[in-house]
Structures are given as structure tokens and as C-alpha cells.
Amino acid sequence: MRIATWNVNSITARLPRLLAWLESSGTDVLCLQEAKVAEEQFPFDQLRAAGYEAAAHATGRWNGVAVLSRVGIEDVARGLPGDPGYEGVTEPRAVAATCGPVRVWSVYVPNGREVGHPHYAYKLQWFEALRAAVAADAAGSRPFAVLGDYNVAPTDDDVFDAAAFEGSTHVTPAERAALAALRGTGLSDVVPRPLKYDHPFTYWDYRQLGFPKNRGMRIDLVYGNASFAEAVGDAYVDREERKGKGASDHAPVVVDLDV
């Protein structure tokens, strides 16, 4: 079974690439982030024609998540119990589904903007709501994983230059402590192999030749419980999909499971 996560940075802008990638990659389940489309405009019909059911949680603008599956979708849950919301708005940042033998969450963690910004406090509160929401499944025996754009680099090795991020979000002790608390529910980091260079970066800024210079970050993560982690046969970053005109600034992370 092949499971992947990909921040597509607008499913409308990326739909031809997405459909082509689904066909060429043989992915069974895709957790998708930053749909940037209202649910009524989500391309359910095009995905169904390609053989995929979809569970989406999207309202347009900047967020939106989905699970795409060609092995069935059941027990869909949209949003987090106890979601703190931001400025009075509960954002579409999490959706869960059971796909065949595996249950997954697709998550798009808040960016945080700047240390000390209200959005940074919201990010930490959202992480706590996520931890509470997944704890039971994380401790269970069914293969389970939380996949998505976490907007946190777990270690200094997961950014191209730790000094360049000093004092900024994505690398702070509080954010990494939130990751550790999430792992504490029974999850482990399924670290993919890079297809090029030494570090499996998943995101490269569009600006300042970030991708050609490999000035990347590993912020798209797969956190799986024991049953999921034990079934992993391979995991890699599909760096090729970050290339070319019209690419997302994130690459898919692909995990092969022996289930």
C-alpha cells in the first residue's frame, strides 16, 4: 500500500500535475494540504474519474485539507475537537479517514508567522488540540498516521542552515516540544530518504533560487504509530515533482507499507 502527503499549494492550480502524479506514482492514499478552494469547488468529479474518492475539509482562501483514496474512505472526521480557532474562526486544517486497513489524518498546522505573534500562540494551542484528538488512535493496534505540513522542522538537520532561522518560527524549542508531545502519544517520525543530496527536505521557497540551491526544510512529516511504523518498507521524498513550471513549493512524501 502506498500512502503519501503533499502540500499542493492550490489544488485548482495544480490539478493537472496532481492527476498525472497520482497515475504515475501508483499512490493509494494521498493526504493533501493547502487546497485553497471552497468545498463546493473541490474537484471531486475529476478525482473520481481517476479512481479516487475524496474526503475534503475546505472553505477557500488559504487553508483546506483532504484525503484521496482508491482503497475506500470511511469514518471521516473533519476538524479537531477543541480546535482553538484563530480570531474567532475555526479553520479547515484537519481531516481524518479510514482507508482500507489504515487510518490517517491529513493536517495543515498553522504557520505561526512570528515568535510572539498571536498566530504563534494559536499554532501551539492547535498542536495541543491535535495531540488530544489523535491520542487514542496513536495508542491503538490499527496502523495509524498523522501526515501533512507540520510547519516545524524537527531538528537543526532538517533546515539548510540553522543559523539562518535563528529567532524565527519553525525551529523554536516550543514548537519542537509540541512535536515531542505528539510523538509521546505513541507516534514516531517516519523519516524519508532523499532522492538527491544528503537531507530529505520537503519544502523550498520560491524566492532566491531556493530549490536550485537546495535551501530547503523538512516540514512535511509522517508520524505513525507502532503498527504503521513496523509496516514501512520504504519512504522517500519525490523531489522530481518540485521541478518545472507550475510546481508546488512542497514535494510529496511517499511511504510504502507492507499491509
Side-chain angles (χ1 to χ4, degrees):
M1 186 174 186
R2 176 162 285 181
I3 299 178
T5 182
W6 190 8
N7 180 325
V8 293
N9 191 13
S10 172
I11 193 169
T12 302
R14 236 63 65 187
L15 186 58
R17 290 187 70 130
L18 171 62
L19 292 172
W21 184 82
L22 286 170
E23 182 177 5
S24 65
S25 68
T27 296
D28 297 302
V29 178
L30 174 63
C31 293
L32 180 150
Q33 301 86 42
E34 269 201 280
K36 292 185 177 179
V37 66
E39 198 161 327
E40 53 268 26
Q41 276 85 49
F42 197 88
F44 292 105
D45 291 342
Q46 295 94 320
L47 290 164
R48 191 174 298 112
Y52 290 84
E53 299 176 74
H57 185 33
T59 57
R61 299 189 68 185
W62 309 115
N63 305 312
V65 289
V67 176
L68 316 183
S69 173
R70 63 179 186 181
V71 294
I73 285 185
E74 298 178 343
D75 302 326
V76 174
R78 294 173 175 85
L80 300 177
D83 189 319
Y86 184 66
E87 295 184 338
V89 176
T90 301
E91 299 175 326
R93 293 183 174 274
V95 61
T98 300
C99 304
V102 177
R103 185 159 179 80
V104 297
W105 279 89
S106 177
V107 300
Y108 179 42
V109 176
N111 178 280
R113 300 182 186 172
E114 299 174 358
V115 177
H117 192 283
H119 207 263
Y120 179 77
Y122 163 55
K123 181 178 191 174
L124 298 178
Q125 293 163 0
W126 197 92
F127 259 123
E128 175 55 27
L130 176 64
R131 185 201 63 77
V134 307
D137 280 324
S141 59
R142 175 175 55 181
F144 170 76
V146 184
L147 307 92
D149 180 355
Y150 280 67
N151 271 314
V152 183
T155 72
D156 284 351
D157 284 340
D158 295 309
V159 296
F160 69 90
D161 180 3
F165 291 87
E166 188 173 352
S168 67
T169 58
H170 292 61
V171 299
T172 65
E175 290 166 294
R176 288 175 173 172
L179 284 183
L182 188 60
R183 292 193 300 270
T185 63
L187 303 176
S188 60
D189 188 353
V190 178
V191 180
R193 58 185 174 87
L195 295 187
K196 186 177 180 180
Y197 302 116
D198 295 331
H199 298 290
F201 297 146
T202 65
Y203 164 83
W204 301 260
D205 200 303
Y206 287 129
R207 299 168 295 180
Q208 299 178 334
L209 299 175
F211 183 65
K213 294 181 178 179
N214 200 36
R215 295 167 62 88
M217 307 173 70
R218 186 172 77 94
I219 57 176
D220 301 89
L221 309 177
V222 177
Y223 274 18
N225 70 355
S227 295
F228 186 97
E230 289 167 3
V232 173
D234 191 16
Y236 64 91
V237 180
D238 190 352
R239 192 179 186 277
E240 294 298 305
E241 194 53 39
R242 177 59 175 80
K243 294 180 178 179
K245 185 177 181 180
S248 171
D249 44 3
H250 296 251
V253 178
V254 181
V255 179
D256 288 334
L257 294 182
D258 299 323
V259 293

